[in-house]
Amino acid sequence: MLMALSTWCDVEAYLERSRSIILPIGSMEQHGPTGLIGTDAICPTVIAEAAASDDPDILVGPTFSVGCAQHHLGFPGSMTLRPSTMIAAIVDWSASLRRHGFERIYWINGHGGNIATIAAAFSEVYAERSFAGADSSIPALTMKQRNWWDLPGVMNTCRHLHPKHEGSHATASEVAVTYAAHPEQVRNIELTPKVAPSGGFTDADDYRRRFADGRIGSDPTQATVAAGEEIIKVAAKALREDFLAFANRAG
Amino acid sequence: MLMALSTWCDVEAYLERSRSIILPIGSMEQHGPTGLIGTDAICPTVIAEAAASDDPDILVGPTFSVGCAQHHLGFPGSMTLRPSTMIAAIVDWSASLRRHGFERIYWINGHGGNIATIAAAFSEVYAERSFAGADSSIPALTMKQRNWWDLPGVMNTCRHLHPKHEGSHATASEVAVTYAAHPEQVRNIELTPKVAPSGGFTDADDYRRRFADGRIGSDPTQATVAAGEEIIKVAAKALREDFLAFANRAG
Amino acid sequence: MLMALSTWCDVEAYLERSRSIILPIGSMEQHGPTGLIGTDAICPTVIAEAAASDDPDILVGPTFSVGCAQHHLGFPGSMTLRPSTMIAAIVDWSASLRRHGFERIYWINGHGGNIATIAAAFSEVYAERSFAGADSSIPALTMKQRNWWDLPGVMNTCRHLHPKHEGSHATASEVAVTYAAHPEQVRNIELTPKVAPSGGFTDADDYRRRFADGRIGSDPTQATVAAGEEIIKVAAKALREDFLAFANRAG
Amino acid sequence: MLMALSTWCDVEAYLERSRSIILPIGSMEQHGPTGLIGTDAICPTVIAEAAASDDPDILVGPTFSVGCAQHHLGFPGSMTLRPSTMIAAIVDWSASLRRHGFERIYWINGHGGNIATIAAAFSEVYAERSFAGADSSIPALTMKQRNWWDLPGVMNTCRHLHPKHEGSHATASEVAVTYAAHPEQVRNIELTPKVAPSGGFTDADDYRRRFADGRIGSDPTQATVAAGEEIIKVAAKALREDFLAFANRAG
Amino acid sequence: MLMALSTWCDVEAYLERSRSIILPIGSMEQHGPTGLIGTDAICPTVIAEAAASDDPDILVGPTFSVGCAQHHLGFPGSMTLRPSTMIAAIVDWSASLRRHGFERIYWINGHGGNIATIAAAFSEVYAERSFAGADSSIPALTMKQRNWWDLPGVMNTCRHLHPKHEGSHATASEVAVTYAAHPEQVRNIELTPKVAPSGGFTDADDYRRRFADGRIGSDPTQATVAAGEEIIKVAAKALREDFLAFANRAG
Amino acid sequence: MLMALSTWCDVEAYLERSRSIILPIGSMEQHGPTGLIGTDAICPTVIAEAAASDDPDILVGPTFSVGCAQHHLGFPGSMTLRPSTMIAAIVDWSASLRRHGFERIYWINGHGGNIATIAAAFSEVYAERSFAGADSSIPALTMKQRNWWDLPGVMNTCRHLHPKHEGSHATASEVAVTYAAHPEQVRNIELTPKVAPSGGFTDADDYRRRFADGRIGSDPTQATVAAGEEIIKVAAKALREDFLAFANRAG
């Protein structure tokens, strides 16, 4: 069940069944010469929609599509929020849902660069109630983030599909997922070097200097539509189970 | 050309042709018992994608999907940013694009409640350079917002399709556009009263008290897939022309 | 009744009679070679004071004198708040009055460039209560903004007095109002061109490049003290009626 | 010379003569049963206008009228900014004037409760350039605040006029200044106790509990129009001299 | 009793005895060629720890070590918070302690440049409750700041020890206190000029230009370990008495 | 070399040798009935000071002592910054050091709850330069965080010393480090249960409900002064090597 495609009456009815919701969260940033700028938003969205498909007990909210990607700004098309802006936005999204009676929010994340700021935003949300004390009138909220590639079984599938050169940015697996979602966007070009270099980075200029075409450690030319479909299937099943367990947990 | 489905190399090549971009901006909020929560994000996105389809000179960026909708929070599923958060986010989106050499940003808007805050955000962006003075190193940026229903010819089409009871929230026309985009979501139910009341409002409780099912002044049961397709066609053509004129303007 | 010239006991007594207040809001910005920098603050202040004069049921608070005028910073003497600062200040002014039991605030505005940010600030104020939910302990507040030139009858009067070349910035009518308020400041000089050019603008440098002496579309040399007095009379009467209707409205 | 009553051309010409400006800064807050809510804004404004009268080398900008008065919110009509908002606003006012080439800003203050936040705002302004380093492109700005009662000779005059029970809030001297400025507002009522209690305070409730009618340590029934005129004369002369010395100082 | 060296059970027990706490607040900034960068944090910390030593009725919290020192940034090692950041941090520290039932916070300050921002932060804290009104659920908090050199008897001691050239920055007395605390850091070097110049300043470049080695008006070569021990003894005794009087005050 | 105990001349000389600095960062929060509230600030400070002792090529700045600990606010004495405040403070600390020519900052962290917000703050710092573009005048800065227990060899030492029930909050190892630093604070009491429960948490009330005495998964009664000394020795050596490698890295 997708919230954007529901009426408020649908959501009201859902809240009778469940107080939990999934929010995909991604980024708009370069993913090398063969990967799409929307990759990190597309992956968790596609997986969440597959998990929720035809299931009245799983509600997927809108995708938080622009995240923390300052280090990619050396490559055209990359966009970022400052972490302080992202925290403010996550606070507002969470407060909106809390107002309706949602008690548990499951953020399915598609971008490593978001992890820290999402966690900081959770603390910002929790702090309001922690400062107010035990008898506060602010309803409690439980939030969880999970990277789609950390869902049970997904990494094994990815390693099986791409035993070598998965890398850490513009990976064959994430590119495959986007190709499965948008087969018309498959890019069949050679990359040089075949496997991108690895390492750390600081700001956008530093990143561009180190990683000439944007990839880190990966060979995404391995990506295929079929591999992407396989990953989506495994990840969607795992997300469904993980979310329902989260939703059913007491307190 | 959609930025989310492009590589950074595609965007780099686009910037050789054009320094302008379209950004759809909407809201996640109730649209009455027959309208979708995502209506205001879906409409400008669908229209922008239709305008950009197969045109290498029109680039559509990601949709800013949660906007200013505090007055709808009395209805489940509605989400909002505080205006101050929305300004911060628009500043960051704009600064990201400016970094890549974009000089003109065209925001195609789907939500009346966003208009003021978008305009305020433009002033926030411009103020940085205005404070710095004429010899600032900050590149100039030109921003424009346009509601999709204000595009040339669109209102006439809407009035022709729904000569009565268009209303101002959860209108037949916007609901029709979403039905055209998502025909499986058509809701065939009766509404009582057939035409919703009209008037002003302040906060969410005030709104809910005045507008029992969320609509203002409208009878969206008139909405059809065919009407939506007609509106999209007219709006997309108008947007394409308006954007290209904007993009080609000097300075 | 002017709040700045009242004691707290006077205001306490007023609150027994009324829960509504008028706040003039303007700008400090260039108004061409014959217009005063304070024009946009002077106009609503003079009109509000005329409306409230000798009327114990109309309370006028302090004038919010520096508004959103980043686009005028190319001309000496212009001052601006960033929209985010202005929102914070309006939130604080509103919260102060709410604390005393004011339930309705009528902002009489003198500057087109303020409209969007005032509206955004209203949403910021309302959002606090909308997030908190229906059983919040935050008192409800109703806010309204009205440009003085949009008061019933005023535009007709202006058009009658200056049938041509009213323009949109440094208009004959607003200059006339300031001349009526400060007759010693009448400037009798020629302007070239007689009628200023029209058009849009972005930041301060762009504005100055387009509008060489600051005016937009206007010929303010038409302004006279007599015309200003006429406009003030009409506007004050309309404001009095509009405010009292607003004040007497339930809920 | 008053900036609100000048054109931008007047200010441009002034900047050829001087790079310094006076800004009155006050508060809207209760001043006991005989004092006006606008007292702290009226006093520095009246004194600054008297100092600048007929002098083309003294420019007085708009009055910053609502300041830091959270402790007075227990009395109707009092208004406040949070200090963080006030800092943001002072930063914006200062940056606006700096853009025009002003190099020295003299804040003439009317409210003890503002002193700390004004000083903090100065540091906020200076910090921008201090972080940037010596070769920054940000122009240097010198700011000074002075309470009108601390101008040379003023306190002596006040003590001479009101040798006893001047107190520290709603003093006879400040009330006298406002009576001189607005003789129609003189309030001839008895106060009980004749002399208000003294002491410290924290928030608004604490303040109201300690100071039943709002005064601290004062007997403002001594205030007369004649005393006010005398104080204004002395203070205006001192301000003129102090400002011109400030304006003429190198660097 | 030092909070950093206590368990939560110790603090819980303390709260049975007292609702008051001391927080040292300082700065990290240059103190001339013979003074330590940590001087302003070390002094109030050492004095507070001496005051609290072996006394179960005096609790000393952590030292707020980096304060408002933008004007010192021209000298290596100096650090600063913007005042707006410092206000936010003081608000959070205060809210944390308020949550536990602390009702009175005594800030013992070591840096003149902090005074204004600390006072502004107090207003920021109080404003929250002042806006909310008398029946707010926010507990009342009483905060006080005191410079260690303003404690009863301290200035007399300093003047007795250093009758001449105490100055106002990098004073012999504060340097002596740090030497007493860290005898291994005594610097026996000549300074030229022996007594530093005096005067005002704005930003860091202005400061460095005026005060070549960082001192203002002082000759800190007078500082000795013995003098520092004497000052600490007198100040600790005075702080103990002042704090206990503060802690025992009603309301 | 400790910056708080250095003069600005010392730091100036250090900058000739090195452009890198260590900053300890911790928290003030409960650590169970036997652990000190300052544990997470004490550990990295003690280790950094041991690493820097007598080494002119290692400079240790002030300890950032209050961090992100909203979840501990249910236990008296715990203090927190909101993540947004902490980001602002880290931005200011970093900008201060950058002003002096520091190019690399090594944050040695003592609190798991800080990790996310420190990383978010790094992105906030980097974003400024990433937005500005490659030819920005903002100097580049490289920042790294490292938990002291993640330094090479430390975890092995801890496991060897406490093979069982190390847990994740109020661990035997961190308590041992504080006991080594403050032997007079050793608490010899029994804890029930001997080993605390494990699990996740959200806000302060949730945390206190789950972890009755504050510990998570640990038995800190194993902690001894001798174990703490061993850990400090191993960690200080590892930090020294890790920092010097960081400091010597190009770019």
Side-chain angles (χ1 to χ4, degrees):
Chain A
M1 188 180 163
L2 304 187
M3 200 163 80
L5 301 185
S6 304
T7 67
W8 70 261
C9 312
D10 298 339
V11 178
E12 192 173 59
Y14 176 84
L15 280 160
E16 296 295 313
R17 297 190 297 274
S18 173
R19 296 282 165 163
S20 300
I21 186 171
I22 295 175
L23 295 179
I25 186 162
S27 183
M28 294 296 294
E29 61 183 50
Q30 66 84 15
H31 274 77
T34 63
L36 307 180
I37 284 172
T39 299
D40 290 350
I42 293 167
C43 292
T45 303
V46 163
I47 292 165
E49 290 183 2
S53 151
D54 300 322
D55 190 331
D57 290 334
I58 303 182
L59 181 66
V60 177
T63 298
F64 193 104
S65 59
V66 174
C68 275
Q70 60 81 25
H71 46 299
H72 292 295
L73 284 179
F75 295 91
S78 302
M79 298 174 70
T80 194
L81 298 179
R82 285 163 293 167
S84 53
T85 304
M86 188 162 171
I87 288 173
I90 291 178
V91 165
D92 289 355
W93 283 44
S94 303
S96 298
L97 295 171
R98 186 176 62 190
R99 157 73 198 248
H100 302 309
F102 287 100
E103 294 167 0
R104 303 177 78 83
I105 306 179
Y106 186 115
W107 300 78
I108 180 77
N109 179 38
H111 173 45
N114 283 347
I115 297 172
T117 299
I118 294 172
F122 287 3
S123 290
E124 190 91 7
V125 169
Y126 295 147
E128 188 188 2
R129 195 161 176 270
S130 295
F131 276 131
D135 51 351
S136 159
S137 64
I138 305 166
L141 201 57
T142 298
M143 306 217 282
K144 170 181 181 162
Q145 71 165 310
R146 174 79 89 163
N147 303 314
W148 64 261
W149 58 87
D150 288 332
L151 285 163
V154 173
M155 204 51 104
N156 279 349
T157 303
C158 294
R159 278 201 209 95
H160 182 258
L161 290 164
H162 315 112
K164 295 207 291 191
H165 311 315
E166 175 77 347
S168 62
H169 185 67
T171 66
S173 294
E174 62 183 345
V175 171
V177 168
T178 65
Y179 285 179
H182 299 279
E184 79 288 357
Q185 297 295 344
V186 175
R187 313 289 166 118
N188 289 310
I189 59 174
E190 301 283 303
L191 296 181
T192 309
K194 195 169 174 49
V195 182
S198 290
F201 50 83
T202 60
D203 62 25
D205 293 320
D206 180 67
Y207 187 104
R208 176 121 205 194
R209 209 162 39 238
R210 293 173 190 275
F211 308 107
D213 70 1
R215 294 173 295 142
I216 303 183
S218 68
D219 171 14
T221 61
Q222 304 174 81
T224 64
V225 169
E229 287 170 345
E230 173 71 9
I231 295 169
I232 293 171
K233 199 179 66 181
V234 172
K237 181 165 179 296
L239 173 57
R240 170 190 295 258
E241 285 164 11
D242 199 43
F243 171 71
L244 290 176
F246 171 76
N248 291 331
R249 215 163 292 146
Chain B
M1 186 180 164
L2 304 187
M3 199 162 81
L5 302 186
S6 304
T7 67
W8 70 262
C9 311
D10 298 338
V11 178
E12 192 172 58
Y14 176 84
L15 280 161
E16 296 295 314
R17 298 190 297 274
S18 174
R19 297 281 164 163
S20 300
I21 187 172
I22 295 175
L23 295 179
I25 185 163
S27 182
M28 294 296 294
E29 62 182 49
Q30 66 84 16
H31 274 77
T34 64
L36 307 180
I37 283 173
T39 299
D40 290 350
I42 293 167
C43 292
T45 303
V46 164
I47 291 165
E49 291 183 1
S53 152
D54 300 322
D55 190 330
D57 290 333
I58 304 183
L59 180 66
V60 177
T63 298
F64 194 104
S65 60
V66 172
C68 274
Q70 59 82 25
H71 46 299
H72 292 296
L73 284 179
F75 295 91
S78 302
M79 297 174 70
T80 194
L81 298 178
R82 284 163 293 167
S84 52
T85 304
M86 188 162 170
I87 289 173
I90 291 178
V91 165
D92 289 356
W93 284 42
S94 303
S96 298
L97 295 171
R98 186 176 62 191
R99 156 74 198 248
H100 301 310
F102 286 101
E103 294 167 0
R104 304 178 77 83
I105 306 178
Y106 185 115
W107 299 78
I108 180 76
N109 179 39
H111 174 45
N114 283 347
I115 297 171
T117 299
I118 294 172
F122 287 3
S123 291
E124 190 91 8
V125 169
Y126 294 146
E128 188 188 2
R129 196 161 175 271
S130 295
F131 276 131
D135 51 350
S136 158
S137 63
I138 306 166
L141 200 57
T142 298
M143 306 218 282
K144 170 181 181 161
Q145 73 165 307
R146 174 80 88 162
N147 304 314
W148 64 260
W149 57 88
D150 289 332
L151 286 163
V154 172
M155 203 52 102
N156 279 350
T157 303
C158 294
R159 279 201 207 95
H160 183 256
L161 290 164
H162 315 113
K164 296 207 291 192
H165 312 316
E166 175 78 347
S168 61
H169 184 67
T171 68
S173 295
E174 62 184 345
V175 171
V177 169
T178 64
Y179 285 179
H182 300 280
E184 79 288 358
Q185 296 296 344
V186 175
R187 313 291 166 117
N188 289 310
I189 59 174
E190 300 282 301
L191 297 180
T192 308
K194 193 168 174 49
V195 182
S198 291
F201 51 83
T202 60
D203 62 25
D205 293 320
D206 180 67
Y207 187 105
R208 175 122 205 193
R209 211 161 40 238
R210 292 174 191 275
F211 309 106
D213 71 1
R215 294 172 296 142
I216 303 182
S218 68
D219 171 15
T221 61
Q222 304 172 83
T224 64
V225 168
E229 287 170 345
E230 173 70 10
I231 295 169
I232 293 169
K233 200 180 66 184
V234 172
K237 181 167 178 297
L239 173 57
R240 170 190 294 258
E241 287 164 10
D242 199 43
F243 171 72
L244 290 175
F246 170 77
N248 292 331
R249 215 163 292 147
Chain C
M1 188 180 162
L2 304 187
M3 201 163 80
L5 302 185
S6 304
T7 67
W8 70 261
C9 311
D10 298 339
V11 178
E12 191 172 60
Y14 176 84
L15 281 160
E16 296 295 313
R17 297 190 298 274
S18 174
R19 297 281 165 162
S20 299
I21 187 171
I22 295 175
L23 294 179
I25 185 162
S27 183
M28 294 297 294
E29 61 183 52
Q30 67 84 15
H31 274 77
T34 65
L36 308 179
I37 284 172
T39 299
D40 290 349
I42 294 167
C43 291
T45 303
V46 163
I47 291 165
E49 291 183 2
S53 152
D54 300 323
D55 190 331
D57 290 333
I58 303 183
L59 181 66
V60 177
T63 298
F64 194 105
S65 59
V66 172
C68 275
Q70 60 80 24
H71 46 299
H72 293 295
L73 284 179
F75 295 91
S78 301
M79 297 174 71
T80 195
L81 299 179
R82 285 163 292 169
S84 53
T85 304
M86 189 163 171
I87 288 173
I90 291 177
V91 165
D92 289 356
W93 284 42
S94 303
S96 297
L97 295 171
R98 186 176 62 190
R99 156 73 197 248
H100 302 310
F102 286 101
E103 294 166 359
R104 303 178 78 83
I105 306 178
Y106 185 114
W107 299 78
I108 180 76
N109 179 38
H111 173 46
N114 284 346
I115 298 171
T117 300
I118 295 172
F122 287 3
S123 290
E124 190 91 7
V125 170
Y126 295 146
E128 189 189 2
R129 196 162 175 270
S130 294
F131 276 131
D135 51 351
S136 158
S137 63
I138 304 166
L141 201 57
T142 298
M143 306 218 283
K144 170 181 180 160
Q145 72 166 308
R146 174 78 89 163
N147 304 315
W148 64 260
W149 58 86
D150 288 332
L151 286 163
V154 172
M155 203 52 103
N156 279 349
T157 303
C158 294
R159 279 202 207 94
H160 183 256
L161 290 164
H162 315 113
K164 295 207 291 192
H165 312 316
E166 175 77 346
S168 62
H169 184 68
T171 67
S173 294
E174 62 183 344
V175 171
V177 168
T178 65
Y179 285 179
H182 300 279
E184 79 288 357
Q185 296 296 345
V186 174
R187 314 288 166 116
N188 289 310
I189 58 174
E190 299 283 301
L191 296 181
T192 308
K194 195 170 175 48
V195 182
S198 290
F201 50 83
T202 60
D203 62 26
D205 292 320
D206 181 66
Y207 187 106
R208 177 123 204 193
R209 210 162 39 237
R210 293 174 190 273
F211 309 106
D213 72 0
R215 296 172 295 143
I216 304 183
S218 69
D219 171 15
T221 61
Q222 304 173 81
T224 64
V225 168
E229 288 171 344
E230 173 70 9
I231 295 168
I232 293 170
K233 201 180 65 183
V234 172
K237 181 165 177 297
L239 174 57
R240 172 189 293 257
E241 286 164 12
D242 200 45
F243 171 71
L244 291 175
F246 171 76
N248 292 330
R249 214 163 292 147
Chain D
M1 188 179 163
L2 305 187
M3 200 164 80
L5 301 185
S6 303
T7 67
W8 70 261
C9 311
D10 298 339
V11 178
E12 191 173 58
Y14 176 85
L15 280 161
E16 296 295 314
R17 297 190 297 274
S18 173
R19 297 281 165 163
S20 299
I21 187 171
I22 295 175
L23 294 180
I25 185 162
S27 182
M28 295 296 295
E29 62 183 51
Q30 67 84 16
H31 275 77
T34 65
L36 308 180
I37 283 171
T39 298
D40 290 350
I42 294 168
C43 292
T45 303
V46 163
I47 291 164
E49 291 184 0
S53 152
D54 300 324
D55 191 331
D57 290 334
I58 304 183
L59 180 65
V60 178
T63 298
F64 194 104
S65 60
V66 173
C68 274
Q70 60 80 24
H71 46 299
H72 292 295
L73 285 179
F75 295 90
S78 301
M79 297 173 70
T80 195
L81 298 179
R82 285 163 292 168
S84 53
T85 304
M86 189 162 170
I87 289 172
I90 291 177
V91 165
D92 289 355
W93 284 43
S94 303
S96 297
L97 296 171
R98 186 176 62 192
R99 156 74 197 248
H100 301 310
F102 286 101
E103 294 166 359
R104 301 178 79 83
I105 306 179
Y106 185 114
W107 299 78
I108 180 78
N109 178 38
H111 173 46
N114 284 346
I115 298 171
T117 300
I118 294 172
F122 288 3
S123 290
E124 189 91 8
V125 170
Y126 295 147
E128 188 188 2
R129 195 161 175 272
S130 294
F131 276 131
D135 52 350
S136 159
S137 63
I138 305 166
L141 201 57
T142 297
M143 306 218 281
K144 170 182 181 159
Q145 73 166 308
R146 175 79 89 163
N147 304 315
W148 64 261
W149 57 86
D150 288 332
L151 286 163
V154 172
M155 204 50 104
N156 278 349
T157 303
C158 293
R159 278 201 207 95
H160 182 256
L161 290 164
H162 315 113
K164 295 207 293 192
H165 312 317
E166 176 78 346
S168 62
H169 185 68
T171 68
S173 295
E174 63 183 343
V175 171
V177 169
T178 64
Y179 285 179
H182 300 278
E184 79 289 356
Q185 296 296 344
V186 175
R187 313 290 166 116
N188 289 310
I189 60 174
E190 300 282 301
L191 296 181
T192 308
K194 194 170 175 47
V195 182
S198 291
F201 50 84
T202 59
D203 63 25
D205 292 320
D206 180 68
Y207 187 105
R208 176 122 205 194
R209 210 161 40 238
R210 293 173 190 273
F211 309 106
D213 71 1
R215 296 172 295 143
I216 303 183
S218 69
D219 172 14
T221 62
Q222 305 172 82
T224 64
V225 168
E229 288 170 343
E230 173 71 10
I231 295 168
I232 292 170
K233 200 180 66 184
V234 172
K237 182 166 177 298
L239 174 57
R240 171 189 294 259
E241 287 164 10
D242 200 42
F243 172 72
L244 290 175
F246 171 76
N248 293 330
R249 215 162 293 148
Chain E
M1 187 180 162
L2 305 187
M3 201 163 80
L5 301 185
S6 303
T7 67
W8 71 260
C9 311
D10 297 339
V11 178
E12 191 172 59
Y14 176 85
L15 281 160
E16 295 296 313
R17 298 190 297 274
S18 174
R19 297 281 165 163
S20 300
I21 187 171
I22 294 175
L23 295 179
I25 185 163
S27 183
M28 293 297 294
E29 61 184 49
Q30 66 83 13
H31 275 77
T34 64
L36 308 179
I37 284 172
T39 299
D40 290 351
I42 293 167
C43 292
T45 302
V46 163
I47 292 165
E49 291 182 2
S53 150
D54 299 324
D55 190 332
D57 289 334
I58 304 183
L59 181 65
V60 178
T63 297
F64 193 106
S65 60
V66 173
C68 275
Q70 59 82 23
H71 47 299
H72 292 297
L73 285 179
F75 295 91
S78 301
M79 297 174 70
T80 194
L81 298 179
R82 286 163 291 169
S84 53
T85 304
M86 188 162 170
I87 289 172
I90 291 178
V91 165
D92 289 356
W93 284 43
S94 303
S96 298
L97 295 171
R98 187 176 62 190
R99 156 74 198 248
H100 301 311
F102 286 101
E103 294 166 1
R104 304 178 77 83
I105 306 178
Y106 185 115
W107 299 78
I108 181 76
N109 179 39
H111 173 44
N114 283 347
I115 297 171
T117 299
I118 294 172
F122 287 4
S123 290
E124 190 91 7
V125 169
Y126 294 147
E128 187 188 3
R129 197 163 174 270
S130 294
F131 276 131
D135 51 350
S136 159
S137 63
I138 306 166
L141 201 57
T142 298
M143 306 217 284
K144 170 182 180 160
Q145 73 165 307
R146 174 79 89 163
N147 304 315
W148 64 261
W149 57 87
D150 288 332
L151 286 164
V154 172
M155 204 51 102
N156 279 349
T157 303
C158 294
R159 279 201 208 93
H160 183 256
L161 290 165
H162 315 112
K164 295 206 291 191
H165 313 316
E166 175 78 345
S168 62
H169 184 68
T171 68
S173 294
E174 61 184 345
V175 171
V177 169
T178 63
Y179 285 179
H182 300 278
E184 79 288 359
Q185 296 296 342
V186 175
R187 313 289 166 118
N188 289 311
I189 58 173
E190 300 282 301
L191 295 181
T192 308
K194 194 171 175 47
V195 182
S198 290
F201 51 82
T202 60
D203 62 25
D205 294 319
D206 180 67
Y207 187 106
R208 176 119 205 196
R209 211 161 39 236
R210 293 174 189 274
F211 310 106
D213 71 0
R215 295 171 296 143
I216 304 183
S218 68
D219 171 15
T221 62
Q222 304 172 83
T224 63
V225 168
E229 287 170 346
E230 173 71 10
I231 295 169
I232 292 170
K233 199 180 68 183
V234 171
K237 182 167 177 296
L239 174 57
R240 171 189 294 258
E241 287 165 9
D242 200 44
F243 171 71
L244 290 176
F246 171 76
N248 292 330
R249 216 162 291 148
Chain F
M1 187 179 163
L2 303 188
M3 199 163 79
L5 301 185
S6 304
T7 67
W8 69 261
C9 311
D10 298 339
V11 178
E12 193 173 58
Y14 176 84
L15 280 160
E16 296 295 313
R17 296 190 298 274
S18 173
R19 297 280 164 163
S20 300
I21 187 172
I22 295 175
L23 295 179
I25 185 162
S27 183
M28 294 296 294
E29 62 182 50
Q30 67 83 16
H31 274 77
T34 64
L36 308 179
I37 283 172
T39 299
D40 291 349
I42 293 167
C43 292
T45 303
V46 163
I47 291 165
E49 291 183 1
S53 151
D54 300 322
D55 190 332
D57 289 333
I58 303 183
L59 181 65
V60 177
T63 298
F64 194 105
S65 61
V66 173
C68 274
Q70 59 82 25
H71 46 298
H72 291 296
L73 285 179
F75 294 91
S78 302
M79 298 174 70
T80 194
L81 298 178
R82 286 163 290 168
S84 53
T85 304
M86 188 162 170
I87 288 172
I90 291 177
V91 164
D92 290 356
W93 284 43
S94 304
S96 297
L97 295 172
R98 187 176 61 190
R99 157 73 198 248
H100 301 311
F102 285 101
E103 294 167 1
R104 303 179 78 82
I105 306 179
Y106 185 114
W107 300 78
I108 180 77
N109 179 39
H111 173 44
N114 283 347
I115 297 171
T117 299
I118 294 172
F122 287 3
S123 291
E124 190 91 8
V125 170
Y126 295 146
E128 188 188 2
R129 195 162 175 271
S130 295
F131 276 132
D135 52 351
S136 159
S137 63
I138 305 166
L141 201 57
T142 298
M143 305 218 283
K144 169 181 181 161
Q145 72 165 309
R146 174 80 87 163
N147 303 315
W148 63 261
W149 57 87
D150 288 332
L151 285 163
V154 172
M155 204 52 103
N156 279 348
T157 303
C158 294
R159 278 201 209 96
H160 183 256
L161 290 163
H162 316 111
K164 295 208 292 192
H165 312 315
E166 175 78 346
S168 62
H169 185 67
T171 67
S173 294
E174 62 183 345
V175 171
V177 169
T178 64
Y179 285 179
H182 299 279
E184 79 288 357
Q185 296 296 345
V186 174
R187 313 290 165 116
N188 289 310
I189 58 173
E190 300 282 301
L191 296 181
T192 309
K194 195 170 174 50
V195 182
S198 291
F201 50 83
T202 60
D203 62 25
D205 293 320
D206 180 67
Y207 186 106
R208 176 121 205 195
R209 212 163 38 239
R210 293 174 189 272
F211 309 106
D213 71 1
R215 295 172 296 142
I216 304 183
S218 68
D219 171 15
T221 63
Q222 304 172 82
T224 64
V225 168
E229 289 170 345
E230 173 71 9
I231 295 168
I232 292 171
K233 200 180 67 184
V234 172
K237 181 166 178 297
L239 174 57
R240 171 189 293 257
E241 286 164 10
D242 200 43
F243 171 72
L244 290 175
F246 171 75
N248 292 330
R249 214 162 293 149

